[in-house]
Short mmCIF file of all heavy atoms in Angstrom, two decimals:
data_model
loop_
_atom_site.label_atom_id
_atom_site.label_comp_id
_atom_site.label_asym_id
_atom_site.label_seq_id
_atom_site.Cartn_x
_atom_site.Cartn_y
_atom_site.Cartn_z
N PRO A 55 73.64 -8.05 174.69
CA PRO A 55 73.75 -8.78 173.46
C PRO A 55 75.23 -9.33 173.23
O PRO A 55 76.15 -8.69 173.86
CB PRO A 55 73.52 -7.72 172.43
CG PRO A 55 73.33 -6.46 173.06
CD PRO A 55 73.45 -6.62 174.40
N ALA A 56 75.34 -10.40 172.60
CA ALA A 56 76.56 -11.00 172.35
C ALA A 56 76.60 -11.67 171.01
O ALA A 56 75.54 -12.11 170.54
CB ALA A 56 76.92 -12.04 173.39
N ASN A 108 60.29 -8.72 165.01
CA ASN A 108 60.30 -7.70 166.00
C ASN A 108 60.35 -6.42 165.33
O ASN A 108 60.67 -6.26 164.23
CB ASN A 108 61.53 -8.04 166.92
CG ASN A 108 61.50 -7.07 168.09
OD1 ASN A 108 60.53 -6.71 168.64
ND2 ASN A 108 62.69 -6.75 168.51
N LYS A 109 60.14 -5.26 166.12
CA LYS A 109 60.36 -3.86 165.78
C LYS A 109 59.15 -3.41 164.98
O LYS A 109 59.29 -2.61 164.08
CB LYS A 109 61.67 -3.60 165.16
CG LYS A 109 62.91 -4.09 165.88
CD LYS A 109 64.14 -3.50 165.42
CE LYS A 109 65.41 -4.10 166.00
NZ LYS A 109 66.62 -3.53 165.62
N LEU A 110 58.05 -4.02 165.13
CA LEU A 110 56.81 -3.59 164.40
C LEU A 110 56.61 -2.11 164.61
O LEU A 110 56.12 -1.43 163.68
CB LEU A 110 55.63 -4.30 165.06
CG LEU A 110 54.27 -3.94 164.56
CD1 LEU A 110 54.08 -4.17 162.95
CD2 LEU A 110 53.08 -4.82 165.28
N ASP A 111 57.00 -1.53 165.72
CA ASP A 111 56.71 -0.02 165.98
C ASP A 111 57.44 0.79 164.97
O ASP A 111 57.06 2.00 164.87
CB ASP A 111 57.18 0.27 167.32
CG ASP A 111 58.61 -0.10 167.70
OD1 ASP A 111 58.93 -1.40 167.47
OD2 ASP A 111 59.37 0.71 168.03
N VAL A 112 58.44 0.35 164.21
CA VAL A 112 59.07 1.25 163.19
C VAL A 112 58.33 1.34 161.82
O VAL A 112 58.49 2.20 160.98
CB VAL A 112 60.53 0.91 162.97
CG1 VAL A 112 61.36 0.83 164.24
CG2 VAL A 112 60.75 -0.39 162.21
N MET A 143 55.55 -8.35 166.32
CA MET A 143 55.49 -7.73 167.52
C MET A 143 56.60 -6.66 167.84
O MET A 143 57.44 -6.45 166.93
CB MET A 143 55.64 -8.79 168.74
CG MET A 143 56.96 -9.41 168.81
SD MET A 143 57.31 -10.48 170.19
CE MET A 143 57.46 -9.29 171.54
N SER A 144 56.50 -6.03 169.06
CA SER A 144 57.49 -5.07 169.39
C SER A 144 58.02 -5.44 170.78
O SER A 144 57.18 -5.46 171.76
CB SER A 144 56.99 -3.70 169.36
OG SER A 144 57.82 -2.77 169.85
N ALA A 145 59.25 -5.82 170.90
CA ALA A 145 59.75 -6.15 172.25
C ALA A 145 59.55 -5.00 173.19
O ALA A 145 59.65 -5.30 174.41
CB ALA A 145 61.25 -6.57 172.12
N ARG A 146 59.36 -3.88 172.70
CA ARG A 146 59.22 -2.70 173.55
C ARG A 146 57.80 -2.65 174.25
O ARG A 146 57.50 -1.86 175.19
CB ARG A 146 59.36 -1.42 172.75
CG ARG A 146 60.72 -1.26 172.19
CD ARG A 146 61.27 0.17 172.41
NE ARG A 146 62.61 0.17 172.07
CZ ARG A 146 63.11 0.88 171.11
NH1 ARG A 146 62.27 1.62 170.36
NH2 ARG A 146 64.40 0.97 170.90
N HIS A 147 56.82 -3.42 173.66
CA HIS A 147 55.43 -3.39 174.14
C HIS A 147 55.24 -4.45 174.97
O HIS A 147 55.22 -5.60 174.54
CB HIS A 147 54.48 -3.29 172.97
CG HIS A 147 54.59 -1.97 172.10
ND1 HIS A 147 54.15 -1.84 170.89
CD2 HIS A 147 55.23 -0.76 172.45
CE1 HIS A 147 54.43 -0.64 170.44
NE2 HIS A 147 55.13 0.03 171.33
N VAL A 172 70.13 -13.43 164.72
CA VAL A 172 71.37 -12.71 164.26
C VAL A 172 71.48 -11.47 165.26
O VAL A 172 70.50 -11.14 165.94
CB VAL A 172 71.42 -12.34 162.80
CG1 VAL A 172 71.25 -13.64 161.93
CG2 VAL A 172 70.46 -11.25 162.38
N THR A 173 72.59 -10.79 165.23
CA THR A 173 72.70 -9.55 166.11
C THR A 173 71.78 -8.56 165.61
O THR A 173 71.43 -8.37 164.51
CB THR A 173 74.16 -9.06 166.15
OG1 THR A 173 74.54 -8.87 164.75
CG2 THR A 173 75.10 -10.08 166.78
N ASN A 174 71.45 -7.72 166.62
CA ASN A 174 70.73 -6.46 166.30
C ASN A 174 69.17 -6.60 165.99
O ASN A 174 68.54 -5.61 165.66
CB ASN A 174 71.37 -5.74 165.21
CG ASN A 174 71.53 -4.26 165.51
OD1 ASN A 174 71.58 -3.96 166.70
ND2 ASN A 174 71.47 -3.43 164.42
N VAL A 175 68.61 -7.79 166.21
CA VAL A 175 67.19 -7.96 165.89
C VAL A 175 66.36 -7.63 167.16
O VAL A 175 65.14 -7.61 167.04
CB VAL A 175 66.88 -9.41 165.47
CG1 VAL A 175 67.50 -9.64 164.09
CG2 VAL A 175 67.30 -10.43 166.55
N GLY A 176 67.02 -7.50 168.30
CA GLY A 176 66.22 -7.13 169.48
C GLY A 176 66.09 -8.45 170.39
O GLY A 176 65.27 -8.40 171.27
N LYS A 177 67.01 -9.35 170.28
CA LYS A 177 66.90 -10.53 171.07
C LYS A 177 67.06 -10.32 172.52
O LYS A 177 66.29 -10.81 173.36
CB LYS A 177 67.95 -11.59 170.52
CG LYS A 177 67.64 -12.93 170.77
CD LYS A 177 68.49 -13.81 169.92
CE LYS A 177 69.96 -13.49 170.08
NZ LYS A 177 70.47 -13.66 171.47
N SER A 178 68.14 -9.43 172.82
CA SER A 178 68.31 -9.15 174.28
C SER A 178 67.21 -8.30 174.94
O SER A 178 66.87 -8.54 176.04
CB SER A 178 69.70 -8.46 174.47
OG SER A 178 70.57 -8.91 173.66
N THR A 179 66.75 -7.35 174.13
CA THR A 179 65.59 -6.54 174.56
C THR A 179 64.48 -7.49 174.82
O THR A 179 63.80 -7.32 175.99
CB THR A 179 65.29 -5.55 173.54
OG1 THR A 179 66.45 -4.82 173.16
CG2 THR A 179 64.22 -4.61 174.01
N LEU A 180 64.12 -8.37 173.96
CA LEU A 180 63.07 -9.26 174.20
C LEU A 180 63.23 -10.16 175.43
O LEU A 180 62.34 -10.27 176.23
CB LEU A 180 62.77 -10.18 172.94
CG LEU A 180 61.75 -11.22 173.06
CD1 LEU A 180 60.32 -10.43 173.24
CD2 LEU A 180 61.73 -12.11 171.82
N PRO A 244 66.07 2.91 162.34
CA PRO A 244 64.89 3.65 162.88
C PRO A 244 64.54 3.32 164.33
O PRO A 244 64.63 2.14 164.74
CB PRO A 244 63.74 3.25 161.91
CG PRO A 244 64.35 2.21 161.08
CD PRO A 244 65.75 2.11 161.26
N LYS A 245 64.28 4.42 165.01
CA LYS A 245 63.81 4.22 166.47
C LYS A 245 62.39 4.37 166.53
O LYS A 245 61.72 3.85 167.46
CB LYS A 245 64.51 5.24 167.39
CG LYS A 245 66.02 5.09 167.33
CD LYS A 245 66.45 4.26 168.47
CE LYS A 245 67.90 3.90 168.47
NZ LYS A 245 68.34 3.22 167.26
N LYS A 246 61.74 5.11 165.65
CA LYS A 246 60.44 5.38 165.69
C LYS A 246 59.72 5.14 164.32
O LYS A 246 60.40 4.75 163.35
CB LYS A 246 60.20 6.95 165.91
CG LYS A 246 60.72 7.50 167.22
CD LYS A 246 60.27 8.89 167.29
CE LYS A 246 60.84 9.79 166.23
NZ LYS A 246 61.45 11.12 166.72
P1 GDP B 401 70.31 -8.24 169.81
O1 GDP B 401 71.60 -8.11 169.34
O2 GDP B 401 69.49 -9.15 168.95
O3 GDP B 401 70.36 -8.76 171.28
O4 GDP B 401 69.51 -6.82 169.92
P2 GDP B 401 69.33 -5.76 171.05
O5 GDP B 401 68.25 -6.24 172.02
O6 GDP B 401 70.63 -5.28 171.53
O7 GDP B 401 68.65 -4.65 170.25
C1 GDP B 401 69.24 -3.99 169.03
C2 GDP B 401 68.74 -2.55 168.89
O8 GDP B 401 67.28 -2.73 168.48
C3 GDP B 401 68.73 -1.81 170.07
O9 GDP B 401 69.02 -0.43 169.70
C4 GDP B 401 67.34 -1.88 170.61
O10 GDP B 401 67.00 -0.77 171.46
C5 GDP B 401 66.52 -1.95 169.41
N1 GDP B 401 65.25 -2.71 169.60
C6 GDP B 401 65.03 -3.79 170.25
N2 GDP B 401 63.67 -4.16 170.27
C7 GDP B 401 63.12 -3.21 169.57
C8 GDP B 401 61.70 -2.84 169.33
O11 GDP B 401 60.77 -3.65 169.69
N3 GDP B 401 61.33 -1.79 168.58
C9 GDP B 401 62.47 -0.93 168.11
N4 GDP B 401 62.15 0.18 167.44
N5 GDP B 401 63.68 -1.10 168.45
C10 GDP B 401 64.03 -2.22 169.19
#
Side-chain angles (χ1 to χ4, degrees):
N108 189 33
K109 307 196 191 180
L110 175 60
D111 54 303
V112 307
M143 67 171 289
S144 176
R146 297 227 170 113
H147 294 162
V172 305
T173 54
N174 223 29
V175 294
K177 205 164 52 61
S178 322
T179 307
L180 178 64
K245 295 269 168 302
K246 294 188 299 225

